[in-house]
Amino acid sequence: GAVVSQHPSWVICKSGTSVKIECRSLDFQATTMFWYRQFPKQSLMLMATSNEGSKATYEQGVEKDKFLINHASLTLSTLTVTSAHPEDSSFYICSATPSGYNEQFFGPGTRLTVL
Amino acid sequence: GENVEQHPSTLSVQEGDSAVIKCTYSDSASNYFPWYKQELGKGPQLIIDIRSNVGEKKDQRIAVTLNKTAKHFSLHITETQPEDSAVYFCAASTHNTNAGKSTFGDGTTLTVKP
């Protein structure tokens, strides 16, 4: 149990385009999902906390208009990188927390490369 | 806010030896401490966790100890195997606040030599 999927697993796009990444909890409901960004050989950097049915809470320094988060259901959250630029290239990882628990279960990550 | 420090940043051991990774945290309100294993190109995987009302927890070759007074917790891997090679992250969070938002350590790259 506690499986989280992400789609796509990797994406290459041109500068200026928008990219949507989906995060799904497959066998549990998650009122809270988290979005992270990870640079090579570094730790996970929390970008935002996504709560079902409400606006996401962004960490300091993360542009909410650039990284749009939608958590429309208890099993799906999406991250849209708008007007992507090469500096947005990174490994994006989501995690989901079952309702009432602390455990975070991570997705496999999405490798974004912006040309 | 919470600050988590993790040591060492790299660790190399011979197969069959034990490996120990240590973390310290700053917020005495933290009460949930998970450990994650991340293999190259994959998302982190929860391998063991401990809550503040427990001093030690063991799962086969993996154990975690917690010292609340000193605010530190450690991951112990015994009889290491090459497949244990990965990056390990510790984290700390406060149950029922911030919806489980965790603060992560910087990671330890463990290499197990055959």
Side-chain angles (χ1 to χ4, degrees):
Chain A
V3 178
V4 177
S5 70
Q6 272 184 251
H7 178 80
S9 56
W10 60 270
V11 56
I12 302 173
C13 69
K14 293 182 179 180
S15 186
T17 61
S18 294
V19 175
K20 180 185 283 188
I21 302 170
E22 292 186 349
C23 177
R24 294 181 184 271
S25 56
L26 298 184
D27 52 3
F28 65 95
Q29 294 185 333
T31 52
T32 302
M33 291 183 174
F34 300 93
W35 286 96
Y36 296 86
R37 184 173 180 177
Q38 187 177 37
F39 292 103
K41 298 187 178 182
Q42 292 191 21
S43 188
L44 294 90
M45 183 189 81
L46 180 65
M47 300 174 65
T49 302
S50 169
N51 296 296
E52 186 266 338
S54 64
K55 292 182 179 180
T57 302
Y58 290 82
E59 294 299 300
Q60 190 173 10
V62 178
E63 299 177 57
K64 62 180 181 180
D65 294 330
K66 175 139 185 89
F67 299 99
L68 300 179
I69 291 173
N70 183 276
H71 193 156
S73 77
L74 288 172
T75 59
L76 173 64
S77 177
T78 60
L79 167 69
T80 301
V81 183
T82 62
S83 186
H85 289 92
E87 56 266 31
D88 298 324
S89 298
S90 191
F91 194 50
Y92 292 87
I93 311 172
C94 72
S95 72
T97 298
S99 303
Y101 292 86
N102 263 93
E103 289 86 345
Q104 288 190 42
F105 297 97
F106 286 84
T110 297
R111 173 73 59 191
L112 170 63
T113 301
V114 185
L115 302 177
Chain B
E2 175 68 281
N3 181 50
V4 176
E5 294 189 358
Q6 183 172 346
H7 298 280
S9 56
T10 60
L11 179 60
S12 181
V13 299
Q14 286 295 135
E15 182 176 1
D17 288 350
S18 296
V20 180
I21 303 171
K22 298 181 179 181
C23 288
T24 60
Y25 61 99
S26 60
D27 189 350
S28 57
S30 290
N31 56 13
Y32 175 65
F33 308 93
W35 285 90
Y36 298 92
K37 175 184 181 182
Q38 186 178 27
E39 297 177 340
L40 191 63
K42 298 184 179 180
Q45 177 187 10
L46 178 68
I47 57 172
I48 196 168
D49 56 12
I50 192 168
R51 301 185 187 278
S52 59
N53 58 347
V54 176
E56 183 174 358
K57 183 176 179 181
K58 190 174 182 180
D59 183 3
Q60 299 183 348
R61 296 186 296 109
I62 295 174
V64 57
T65 58
L66 171 65
N67 183 325
K68 285 193 300 181
T69 303
K71 295 196 191 74
H72 67 70
F73 56 112
S74 301
L75 176 71
H76 304 253
I77 306 175
T78 59
E79 301 173 27
T80 53
Q81 302 167 2
E83 50 265 39
D84 293 329
S85 297
V87 179
Y88 292 81
F89 292 98
C90 63
S93 68
T94 305
H95 186 56
N96 284 335
T97 66
N98 293 326
K101 176 179 169 180
S102 294
T103 301
F104 288 83
D106 287 338
T108 296
T109 301
L110 172 64
T111 302
V112 180
K113 298 179 180 178

